[in-house]
Amino acid sequence: MTMNETPVDTDESVAREPAAAAASDLKPRTKVTEVIVVTSGKGGVGKTTTSASLACGLARAGKKVAVIDFDVGLRNLDLIMGCERRVVYDFVNVVHGEASIRQALIKDKRLDNLYVLAASQTRDKDALTRDGVEKVLKDLASDGFDFIVCDSPAGIEKGAFLAMYFADRAVVVVNPEVSSVRDSDRILGLLASKTRKAENGERVKEHLLLTRYSPERVEKGDMLSIADVEEILGLKVIGVIPEAPEVLQSSNAGVPVILDDVSPAGQAYVDAVARILGEERPLRFTTVERKGFFSKLFGG
């Protein structure tokens, strides 16, 4: 019987003593921790921005979330999360047993159920090991985390491989241009063949997240459309983040853009998180806004 199955009433189950039934009801339920890797083939597409926003969105939905920076030597997640001055111990310290996971986790000041594990700036990517990463993930799961978001480095080197290896779900961040799409296709191939789930004959649940999308440029033929990207990669998008100056402004301020409730980019990330959690929402900010007659007449 799986955890979600309802027991069928039988003479034996009905005849259980009340005390035994009560004891059974008091048994703790197993909490399943989901590991999400945010990855891409090409650098500069918005992976870390996406990792920060997804982590914040999941935490705002009431989930206990840890977000880990796997980009050893090029630490950026702590900057976007606004906690760069609070880093004492980092991911590599924990992997090497130089600090405990609780010592290294940085609690977000805005969301009590969100924690950041920063990368090291002084080590190289060989400092991470598969066994060490697995232990960190198991420790977080034991501590009751609902989601662990792994912010992967770009490309297919060791850090990116370790970030995806233990994933249950992958969010592949792609810009709507040919080189980014081609590199993402390579990442999808690795997710299907080089993860622990793949080794066990299973599949990582894959999603596309389209960033820096401009309906105006798509209409002019300067950018691939959503349909183009979905057709090339054979996946549906879980979110489309419009090109917006607020993304860079928020990152520079150390505030993930999802926390900007006015920004279209922030709202689009909120929608993407809702879809990850199983909610159905229509895509927004994906078509050119047409001005009405009076707007044109009066210059609105």
Side-chain angles (χ1 to χ4, degrees):
M1 181 185 298
T2 65
M3 287 192 299
N4 294 326
E5 287 178 341
T6 303
V8 178
D9 285 340
T10 64
D11 291 341
E12 182 181 354
S13 63
V14 171
R16 287 188 309 167
E17 294 182 7
S24 176
D25 291 341
L26 290 173
K27 288 181 181 178
R29 295 182 179 181
T30 302
K31 188 171 188 177
V32 178
T33 301
E34 185 168 4
V35 179
I36 302 176
V37 62
V38 179
T39 184
S40 75
K42 189 173 183 291
V45 297
K47 281 186 310 302
T48 302
T49 295
T50 296
S51 296
S53 285
L54 294 185
C56 285
L58 291 167
R60 286 212 299 187
K63 308 299 182 182
K64 187 176 182 182
V65 183
V67 56
I68 306 175
D69 191 346
F70 274 77
D71 202 356
V72 176
L74 295 171
R75 190 170 84 200
N76 282 312
L77 179 64
D78 55 312
L79 290 170
I80 291 178
M81 293 296 298
C83 62
E84 69 277 7
R85 297 180 183 274
R86 298 168 58 207
V87 178
V88 178
Y89 296 107
D90 57 50
F91 190 16
V92 173
N93 292 140
V94 181
V95 166
H96 286 266
E98 298 160 358
S100 70
I101 187 67
R102 293 198 176 193
Q103 286 176 309
L105 284 175
I106 303 167
K107 188 175 183 178
D108 187 77
K109 290 185 175 180
R110 296 155 297 217
L111 297 160
D112 288 340
N113 50 338
L114 174 60
Y115 297 81
V116 179
L117 182 55
S120 171
Q121 280 187 308
T122 58
R123 311 279 187 98
D124 61 30
K125 291 175 174 58
D126 290 332
L128 294 181
T129 65
R130 185 188 295 185
D131 290 343
V133 170
E134 183 175 23
K135 184 179 184 306
V136 170
L137 298 178
K138 284 183 174 178
D139 286 347
L140 290 170
S142 298
D143 208 16
F145 281 86
D146 296 296
F147 288 95
I148 302 169
V149 178
C150 301
D151 180 28
S152 172
I156 54 175
E157 42 74 41
K158 184 178 181 180
F161 169 73
L162 289 174
M164 74 170 64
Y165 183 74
F166 298 99
D168 301 301
R169 188 191 298 249
V171 175
V172 181
V173 183
V174 57
N175 288 166
E177 46 99 358
V178 173
S179 63
S180 177
V181 172
R182 183 181 63 182
D183 290 346
S184 295
D185 188 50
R186 171 73 167 139
I187 293 298
L188 290 170
L190 293 175
L191 287 166
S193 61
K194 300 296 184 181
T195 61
R196 184 167 62 179
K197 277 191 173 291
E199 291 173 358
N200 293 333
E202 304 173 75
R203 278 193 73 97
V204 174
K205 191 171 185 179
E206 301 158 342
H207 305 289
L208 291 181
L209 187 103
L210 207 52
T211 55
R212 295 179 181 164
Y213 192 76
S214 170
E216 292 82 7
R217 293 179 62 192
V218 170
E219 196 171 77
K220 293 176 183 176
D222 296 335
M223 182 177 280
L224 295 175
S225 69
I226 298 169
D228 291 335
V229 176
E230 289 180 333
E231 183 180 357
I232 294 168
L233 295 178
L235 282 177
K236 291 291 184 182
V237 296
I238 200 167
V240 178
I241 313 302
E243 198 168 33
E246 294 86 3
V247 176
L248 180 58
Q249 293 164 6
S250 295
S251 296
N252 288 339
V255 180
V257 71
I258 195 172
L259 300 179
D260 183 348
D261 295 324
V262 178
S263 165
Q267 294 174 51
Y269 272 119
V270 169
D271 290 346
V273 170
R275 295 186 194 102
I276 286 173
L277 294 173
E279 186 178 332
E280 290 188 9
R281 291 195 180 188
L283 292 173
R284 296 190 283 170
F285 316 113
T286 59
T287 56
V288 177
E289 185 177 341
R290 305 292 180 189
K291 290 186 177 181
F293 173 76
F294 288 103
S295 295
K296 293 178 180 177
L297 187 64
F298 297 106

